[in-house]
Amino acid sequence: MIFWKMNGLGNDYIFVDAVKCIKDELKRLESNLKTIIPRICDRHFGAGSDGLVIMYPSAVADVRMRMFNADGSEGKMCGNAVRCIAKYLVDVCGRYGDIAIETLAGIKAVSAIKDASGKVVSARADMGKVRIAGREGDVIFADAGNPHAVIEGNIADDLEMARAAEICRLRDVNVEIVSVCGEHALEVRVWERGSGETLACGTGATAAAYVFAAEGKVSFPVSVRLPGGVLTLEYIDGRVYASGAVQLNYIGELNISDYG
């Protein structure tokens, strides 16, 4: 099975094109997701990634995405993955214009940005509307396509991340520890469901920027610095847009029978 490993700000995924797969291999993967995906995502014995994405044909968009975390659990959306898919569709499949991607959180529109050589180096995704779902003490819960818990704290403090991991475990949400760096700037560390700490999270950056703007602590546009790089968040007509770098790591091949 051929795969494309791509990342958005270091948030890396194995991307599989269902159309180009050998059908028996795809069926074996789909029938053993919880067993096979953790082994593929293992950074010592597999290809190594924060998760795996299968791209399918769609009746309502350019492509349909199923996104799985490193433990094999399925997520509704991934901001970095949809931006990487736009790179794949433009660079590999020759698509042009805005890309429509069907996800479990709705259809997401993504614009690809090319460099002088014609390769996609960045992408801007419509992350949709964000909803604040409640507050418990210093924790603000928000829905940005995936469920998030946003906490103001010291991102350099690993005890804060230990707390984030525990909230993630207890509440089944992604957790962002956020520091304010200026009127238009945040620093964020993320603990993701099913993957642990990642270098970046598109929906997490979206949730953090929206919550802190609603709290009056920053103003859009917001530059969100994550361990893997910077996402720029804009708020236009009630919707949040995320822009940042995307990159192809390499193209590889998996023998699915080796993984389960």
Side-chain angles (χ1 to χ4, degrees):
M1 177 179 286
I2 302 298
F3 69 90
W4 287 257
K5 181 174 176 177
M6 295 182 282
N7 78 85
L9 307 180
N11 187 200
D12 56 345
Y13 290 89
I14 300 299
F15 292 83
V16 174
D17 189 335
V19 173
K20 297 182 179 180
C21 287
I22 297 171
K23 298 309 175 186
D24 287 347
E25 288 194 325
L26 180 62
K27 185 175 180 180
R28 183 165 190 158
L29 172 61
E30 292 170 328
S31 300
N32 299 278
L33 295 167
K34 283 281 193 175
T35 301
I36 292 176
I37 288 177
R39 297 186 65 189
I40 291 175
C41 293
D42 188 283
R43 295 191 181 275
H44 300 286
F45 295 101
S49 65
D50 290 327
L52 183 144
V53 175
I54 306 176
M55 299 175 286
Y56 294 92
S58 170
V60 295
D62 292 299
V63 67
R64 177 169 67 90
M65 173 183 86
R66 291 188 71 189
M67 172 267 175
F68 299 91
N69 299 306
D71 67 353
S73 60
E74 188 165 7
K76 292 173 64 179
M77 224 294 274
C78 175
N80 287 317
V82 296
R83 295 188 310 102
C84 286
I85 288 174
K87 175 176 174 62
Y88 173 81
L89 291 180
V90 173
D91 286 355
V92 179
C93 303
R95 302 288 178 89
Y96 58 90
D98 284 353
I99 305 295
I101 300 172
E102 181 186 354
T103 77
L104 291 177
I107 297 175
K108 304 299 178 182
V110 186
S111 302
I113 301 165
K114 300 178 181 181
D115 64 8
S117 71
K119 295 294 185 183
V120 175
V121 294
S122 180
R124 179 177 184 262
D126 179 355
M127 303 297 288
K129 295 182 178 181
V130 181
R131 180 178 63 88
I132 294 179
R135 179 196 294 264
E136 294 180 12
D138 63 342
V139 182
I140 300 176
F141 295 93
D143 184 346
N146 289 317
H148 289 270
V150 179
I151 307 167
E152 185 169 7
N154 178 5
I155 65 165
D157 188 347
D158 287 337
L159 290 178
E160 297 270 24
M161 292 307 294
R163 182 190 178 200
E166 183 65 4
I167 292 171
C168 175
R169 184 184 70 82
L170 292 173
R171 301 300 296 267
D172 193 31
V173 295
N174 303 298
V175 185
E176 286 73 49
I177 305 298
V178 186
S179 297
V180 178
C181 303
E183 182 183 354
H184 299 282
L186 297 172
E187 285 193 271
V188 176
R189 285 176 73 183
V190 183
W191 192 276
E192 290 200 59
R193 297 184 301 170
S195 296
E197 185 171 6
T198 57
L199 294 182
C201 175
T203 59
T206 298
Y210 184 87
V211 165
F212 272 59
E215 294 282 297
K217 295 178 179 179
V218 293
S219 299
F220 283 103
V222 180
S223 174
V224 176
R225 178 168 293 281
L226 299 129
V230 176
L231 274 176
T232 300
L233 285 301
E234 304 166 274
Y235 185 73
I236 303 170
D237 296 332
R239 305 177 73 85
V240 180
Y241 295 80
S243 303
V246 290
Q247 183 182 40
L248 171 68
N249 294 63
Y250 57 84
I251 300 168
E253 186 172 1
L254 294 167
N255 184 349
I256 292 299
S257 63
D258 288 343
Y259 290 90

Short mmCIF file of all heavy atoms in Angstrom, two decimals, residues 1 10 21 23 63 71 99 103 136 142 164 167-168 201 213 229 238 240 246:
data_model
loop_
_atom_site.label_atom_id
_atom_site.label_comp_id
_atom_site.label_asym_id
_atom_site.label_seq_id
_atom_site.Cartn_x
_atom_site.Cartn_y
_atom_site.Cartn_z
N MET A 1 0.85 -1.19 0.00
CA MET A 1 0.00 0.00 0.00
C MET A 1 0.89 1.24 0.00
O MET A 1 1.69 1.44 0.91
CB MET A 1 -0.91 0.01 1.23
CG MET A 1 -1.78 1.24 1.35
SD MET A 1 -2.86 1.20 2.80
CE MET A 1 -4.07 -0.01 2.25
N GLY A 10 4.63 20.02 11.68
CA GLY A 10 5.13 18.89 12.46
C GLY A 10 4.07 17.93 12.94
O GLY A 10 4.39 16.87 13.47
N CYS A 21 -5.35 2.35 -3.85
CA CYS A 21 -4.96 1.18 -3.07
C CYS A 21 -5.37 -0.12 -3.75
O CYS A 21 -6.37 -0.17 -4.49
CB CYS A 21 -5.64 1.22 -1.70
SG CYS A 21 -4.96 2.43 -0.57
N LYS A 23 -7.40 -3.20 -3.47
CA LYS A 23 -8.65 -3.28 -2.71
C LYS A 23 -8.56 -4.24 -1.53
O LYS A 23 -9.12 -3.97 -0.46
CB LYS A 23 -9.80 -3.66 -3.63
CG LYS A 23 -10.07 -2.64 -4.74
CD LYS A 23 -10.20 -1.22 -4.19
CE LYS A 23 -10.36 -0.19 -5.31
NZ LYS A 23 -10.34 1.21 -4.77
N VAL A 63 -13.17 15.28 -2.05
CA VAL A 63 -12.64 14.09 -1.39
C VAL A 63 -13.31 13.95 -0.03
O VAL A 63 -13.77 14.94 0.55
CB VAL A 63 -11.09 14.19 -1.24
CG1 VAL A 63 -10.72 15.29 -0.27
CG2 VAL A 63 -10.47 12.87 -0.84
N ASP A 71 -3.85 5.94 18.22
CA ASP A 71 -4.33 4.74 18.91
C ASP A 71 -5.42 4.02 18.12
O ASP A 71 -5.98 3.04 18.59
CB ASP A 71 -4.84 5.08 20.31
CG ASP A 71 -6.09 5.95 20.30
OD1 ASP A 71 -6.51 6.41 19.21
OD2 ASP A 71 -6.66 6.17 21.40
N ILE A 99 -10.31 23.62 -2.60
CA ILE A 99 -10.56 22.20 -2.42
C ILE A 99 -11.65 22.02 -1.36
O ILE A 99 -11.57 22.61 -0.28
CB ILE A 99 -9.28 21.46 -1.97
CG1 ILE A 99 -8.12 21.71 -2.94
CG2 ILE A 99 -9.55 19.98 -1.78
CD1 ILE A 99 -8.32 21.17 -4.32
N THR A 103 -15.70 15.95 5.84
CA THR A 103 -15.26 15.40 7.11
C THR A 103 -16.49 15.09 7.96
O THR A 103 -17.61 15.48 7.63
CB THR A 103 -14.35 16.38 7.88
OG1 THR A 103 -15.17 17.39 8.49
CG2 THR A 103 -13.33 17.05 6.96
N GLU A 136 -15.56 25.33 33.48
CA GLU A 136 -15.42 24.74 34.80
C GLU A 136 -14.13 25.28 35.41
O GLU A 136 -13.04 24.88 35.02
CB GLU A 136 -15.38 23.22 34.74
CG GLU A 136 -16.68 22.59 34.28
CD GLU A 136 -16.63 21.07 34.23
OE1 GLU A 136 -15.65 20.50 34.77
OE2 GLU A 136 -17.54 20.46 33.65
N ALA A 142 -14.75 24.12 24.32
CA ALA A 142 -15.16 24.67 23.03
C ALA A 142 -15.22 23.56 21.99
O ALA A 142 -14.47 22.58 22.05
CB ALA A 142 -14.20 25.76 22.57
N ALA A 164 -3.09 18.61 31.59
CA ALA A 164 -3.80 18.51 30.31
C ALA A 164 -4.07 17.05 29.96
O ALA A 164 -5.16 16.70 29.50
CB ALA A 164 -2.98 19.19 29.21
N ILE A 167 -6.96 15.78 32.13
CA ILE A 167 -8.25 16.30 31.66
C ILE A 167 -8.68 15.58 30.39
O ILE A 167 -9.85 15.21 30.23
CB ILE A 167 -8.19 17.82 31.43
CG1 ILE A 167 -8.00 18.55 32.77
CG2 ILE A 167 -9.44 18.33 30.72
CD1 ILE A 167 -7.71 20.03 32.63
N CYS A 168 -7.73 15.35 29.49
CA CYS A 168 -8.01 14.62 28.26
C CYS A 168 -8.55 13.23 28.58
O CYS A 168 -9.55 12.78 28.01
CB CYS A 168 -6.75 14.53 27.42
SG CYS A 168 -6.90 13.53 25.92
N CYS A 201 -1.80 21.49 16.34
CA CYS A 201 -3.17 21.02 16.20
C CYS A 201 -4.00 22.17 15.63
O CYS A 201 -4.11 23.23 16.26
CB CYS A 201 -3.73 20.57 17.55
SG CYS A 201 -5.47 20.12 17.51
N ALA A 213 -10.05 35.31 22.22
CA ALA A 213 -10.64 36.51 21.64
C ALA A 213 -11.98 36.82 22.31
O ALA A 213 -12.29 37.98 22.62
CB ALA A 213 -10.82 36.34 20.14
N GLY A 229 5.55 25.25 14.84
CA GLY A 229 5.49 26.40 13.96
C GLY A 229 4.28 27.28 14.25
O GLY A 229 3.64 27.14 15.29
N GLY A 238 -18.13 35.37 11.11
CA GLY A 238 -18.52 34.32 12.04
C GLY A 238 -17.78 33.01 11.89
O GLY A 238 -18.11 32.03 12.58
N VAL A 240 -13.84 30.94 11.44
CA VAL A 240 -12.41 31.03 11.69
C VAL A 240 -11.65 30.35 10.55
O VAL A 240 -12.05 29.27 10.08
CB VAL A 240 -12.04 30.37 13.04
CG1 VAL A 240 -10.53 30.47 13.28
CG2 VAL A 240 -12.80 31.03 14.19
N VAL A 246 2.55 23.49 5.04
CA VAL A 246 2.34 22.05 4.88
C VAL A 246 3.53 21.50 4.11
O VAL A 246 4.15 22.19 3.31
CB VAL A 246 1.03 21.73 4.14
CG1 VAL A 246 -0.18 22.05 5.00
CG2 VAL A 246 0.94 22.47 2.81
#
